[in-house]
Amino acid sequence: MFPTTTYTARRERLRKDVGSSIILILGNNEAPMNYRANTYHFRQDSNFLYFFGLDQPNLASVLDVDAGEDIIFGDELTMEDVVWTGPLPTIAEQAQNIGVAKTLPFNMLGDFVKKAVAQGRPIHFTPPYRHDNMILLSDMLGQPVAKLKENASEVLIRAIVAQRSYKSAEEIAEMERAVDISGAMHVAVMKATAAGKKEAELAGIAAGIATGMGGALAYGIIMSVQGQVLHNHHHYNTLQSGQLLLGDHGAETHLHYAGDLTRTCPVDKKFTDRQRDIYNLVLDAEVSAIESLKPGLPYLDVHLAAARRMSEGLKSLGLMKGDLDEAVAQGAHALFFPHGLGHQIGLDVHDMEDLGEDFVGYSDEIKRSKLFGTAYLRLGRTLEPGFVLTVEPGLYFIPELMDQWEAEGKFTDFINYGALKDWRNFGGIRIEDNILVTEDGHRILGKPVPKTVEEVEALRG
Ligand code: GLY
Ligand code: MN
């Protein structure tokens, strides 16, 4: 955990920004996998971690802003709990470590909240995403589950985003560790890649390193020879000569700060000419996007510049044509680059996505595009020092999308459908790093992970 003062200062700022009433932040509980006692890997809620740091299930917190008092609700372990899961410090001792003097049994939370509701005091809560917490909130607040998302407190959401978007030195050090573990996962996978292996074997190597180095997976592993399927969590293909392997995986540290890296390498020792061409277009877009990062620059512009740059490359290969400014303005590049250039990263791999992407990634001045492709950009707002974000351009050949657009006669001024016929089995390439925006520019987090064609081929031996 960070020092006590980190948590007390975060809560003090939160109380000040919210101003009055009650802030309710629920921790997460164990989630049953196939029966109650066989649970998924426990992951604490990131807002709870940020303000209270306590990493165990069945806790909740209240910040009574009017009384200037924080309370942790939780139950002491029974002897049966100790026998099965081991001893822990008391709730009061744990609360003291994070500067909270008052603790109450969990079952007093309902009475506390119901009394406040009866007194007409507003309860600020974040949009719930776990079903058990939805039911608990619905019961305590007397609101239907279906209304909880829209009734969540915008004041609280904005106050949390206003803190968590700016990473402190201690958070950045933790994120460097997350990226280093993630980098070790990628190096090991690229070294082990070989025709005849299953994607699952390589996913296993990545997962083993994440846990072996003291962390956990920050999100579901993408390890696929079908890289054009963007969030492909299927790992049962056998690698074949001539294919590309796209690996998008990262670790979170034991304090739960995430890394999110992507590398693409040939199953053979070397890229084919065609693979090298596309790889270098993606690499060039990634490196130039990173080089451009500095405070004051809207990330939407960085995204569009990367799309423009990759479109130029595709034009030089005869796959796109026409006026590329117009092509990007109309969204034609999204046939090949149908996702956003990146997102904020921190305690969550898509940081604070539970609070609502537009609160995190957009502003009054910069609104989300409605165009296919650009609409998936999670971060469009102007960059500020302390932001940590991903840069992850990619180029993909998605046969289903190519067929649909061609049949609809879409963007025929910009796309050379005829030339695409023998690219249907290419797959996809993405390259991703994690970047801190500094006062005067940027810094790539973690030790460098091989990414030029030469570096990747050297690793492939
Ligand atoms: N790492 C997966 C994503 O950024 O969506
Ligand atoms: Mn990412």
Side-chain angles (χ1 to χ4, degrees):
M1 272 188 7
F2 295 131
T4 309
T5 49
T6 296
Y7 300 100
T8 52
R10 288 172 176 176
R11 293 196 303 272
E12 193 175 315
R13 162 96 190 270
L14 185 68
R15 280 193 299 268
K16 190 162 143 286
D17 287 354
V18 171
S20 64
S21 312
I22 285 171
I23 301 167
L24 173 62
I25 300 179
L26 299 179
N28 281 340
N29 304 311
E30 298 278 18
M33 197 160 56
N34 50 342
Y35 52 91
R36 196 184 63 81
N38 195 24
T39 55
Y40 289 104
H41 164 75
F42 173 71
R43 176 55 159 80
Q44 183 58 289
D45 174 75
S46 295
N47 295 312
F48 194 85
L49 281 173
Y50 187 81
F51 292 106
F52 293 93
L54 302 182
D55 193 8
Q56 68 186 64
N58 308 322
L59 297 174
S61 64
V62 157
L63 295 91
D64 187 333
V65 183
D66 304 323
E69 180 177 65
D70 301 340
I71 310 169
I72 293 283
F73 292 85
D75 294 331
E76 300 302 346
L77 298 185
T78 62
M79 187 47 69
E80 215 170 301
D81 294 326
V82 171
V83 168
W84 285 95
T85 56
L88 277 177
T90 65
I91 304 283
E93 285 162 347
Q94 294 190 58
Q96 201 173 16
N97 279 340
I98 44 131
V100 174
K102 183 164 178 180
T103 61
L104 289 171
F106 197 93
N107 67 9
M108 292 187 70
L109 177 68
D111 290 346
F112 183 97
V113 171
K114 283 174 187 167
K115 188 170 155 202
V117 170
Q119 289 169 339
R121 298 178 69 193
I123 311 284
H124 296 279
F125 60 93
T126 57
Y129 54 90
R130 292 267 183 122
H131 295 141
D132 53 348
N133 277 342
M134 289 179 192
I135 294 167
L136 177 67
L137 271 179
S138 167
D139 177 51
M140 291 190 300
L141 298 169
Q143 295 178 18
V145 166
K147 288 273 171 204
L148 291 172
K149 197 165 173 224
E150 70 183 76
N151 289 348
S153 164
E154 187 172 326
V155 173
L156 176 60
I157 290 170
R158 289 190 185 281
I160 295 176
V161 171
Q163 284 201 58
R164 284 182 54 191
S165 296
Y166 304 90
K167 274 61 182 181
S168 66
E170 60 196 349
E171 290 182 289
I172 292 162
E174 197 61 24
M175 295 194 70
E176 296 263 17
R177 278 190 274 282
V179 179
D180 281 340
I181 301 174
S182 308
M185 292 157 69
H186 281 270
V187 168
V189 166
M190 287 193 278
K191 281 187 176 166
T193 295
K197 287 195 180 174
K198 282 223 170 356
E199 293 161 346
E201 284 180 69
L202 300 163
I205 290 172
I209 291 171
T211 34
M213 289 179 74
L217 292 173
Y219 54 98
I221 291 178
I222 299 167
M223 185 76 72
S224 184
V225 292
Q226 303 282 317
Q228 80 283 3
V229 180
L230 298 182
H231 275 177
N232 192 346
H233 298 302
H234 171 291
H235 301 145
Y236 296 106
N237 291 309
T238 301
L239 278 55
Q240 292 171 19
S241 170
Q243 291 179 319
L244 289 164
L245 179 76
L246 188 154
D248 179 344
H249 42 94
E252 58 173 38
T253 61
H254 76 287
L255 289 190
H256 302 290
Y257 284 85
D260 178 6
L261 300 181
T262 306
R263 290 293 184 268
T264 308
C265 73
V267 170
D268 300 315
K269 304 269 180 225
K270 303 241 176 262
F271 289 94
T272 65
D273 291 346
R274 187 173 268 195
Q275 288 169 347
R276 188 178 308 110
D277 285 344
I278 300 294
Y279 190 92
N280 278 329
L281 296 187
V282 178
L283 181 67
D284 167 71
E286 201 237 16
V287 170
S288 41
I290 293 172
E291 279 172 358
S292 73
L293 297 180
K294 57 174 198 263
L297 180 65
Y299 201 60
L300 175 61
D301 292 358
V302 186
H303 169 89
L304 294 173
R308 177 72 170 72
R309 221 172 159 98
M310 290 195 290
S311 298
E312 265 171 47
L314 292 169
K315 186 172 177 178
S316 71
L317 294 175
L319 302 178
M320 288 188 76
K321 58 186 179 180
D323 177 343
L324 295 181
D325 288 333
E326 202 45 42
V328 170
Q330 292 187 27
H333 64 278
L335 180 62
F336 306 100
F337 176 39
H339 61 75
L341 186 65
H343 48 85
Q344 289 210 50
I345 178 168
L347 276 168
D348 306 297
V349 65
H350 294 169
D351 211 20
M352 301 169 275
E353 195 167 297
D354 62 307
L355 300 177
E357 270 184 9
D358 287 357
F359 288 115
V360 179
Y362 288 88
S363 60
D364 290 342
E365 296 76 39
I366 301 176
K367 301 281 180 213
R368 185 188 287 266
S369 161
K370 292 191 168 36
L371 280 181
F372 172 79
T374 311
Y376 296 129
L377 178 63
R378 295 189 159 94
L379 174 62
R381 68 190 270 200
T382 300
L383 301 179
E384 296 180 54
F387 282 16
V388 180
L389 50 94
T390 70
V391 176
E392 50 179 309
L395 287 172
Y396 313 88
F397 293 82
I398 307 169
E400 298 80 6
L401 189 61
M402 298 194 298
D403 289 346
Q404 191 195 55
W405 282 25
E406 185 176 14
E408 290 172 353
K410 210 165 162 171
F411 297 131
T412 48
D413 289 344
F414 306 122
I415 291 167
N416 233 330
Y417 288 103
L420 280 174
K421 297 289 177 214
D422 68 330
W423 286 78
R424 298 175 70 82
N425 296 320
F426 182 90
I429 292 176
R430 178 165 65 254
I431 305 171
E432 176 178 24
D433 286 298
N434 304 157
I435 322 294
L436 166 72
V437 180
T438 59
E439 292 293 336
D440 52 2
H442 62 269
R443 182 159 67 79
I444 303 181
L445 293 185
K447 296 187 193 83
V449 182
K451 71 176 172 183
T452 65
V453 164
E454 294 72 26
E455 288 164 353
V456 171
E457 288 185 346
L459 206 56
R460 300 287 302 110

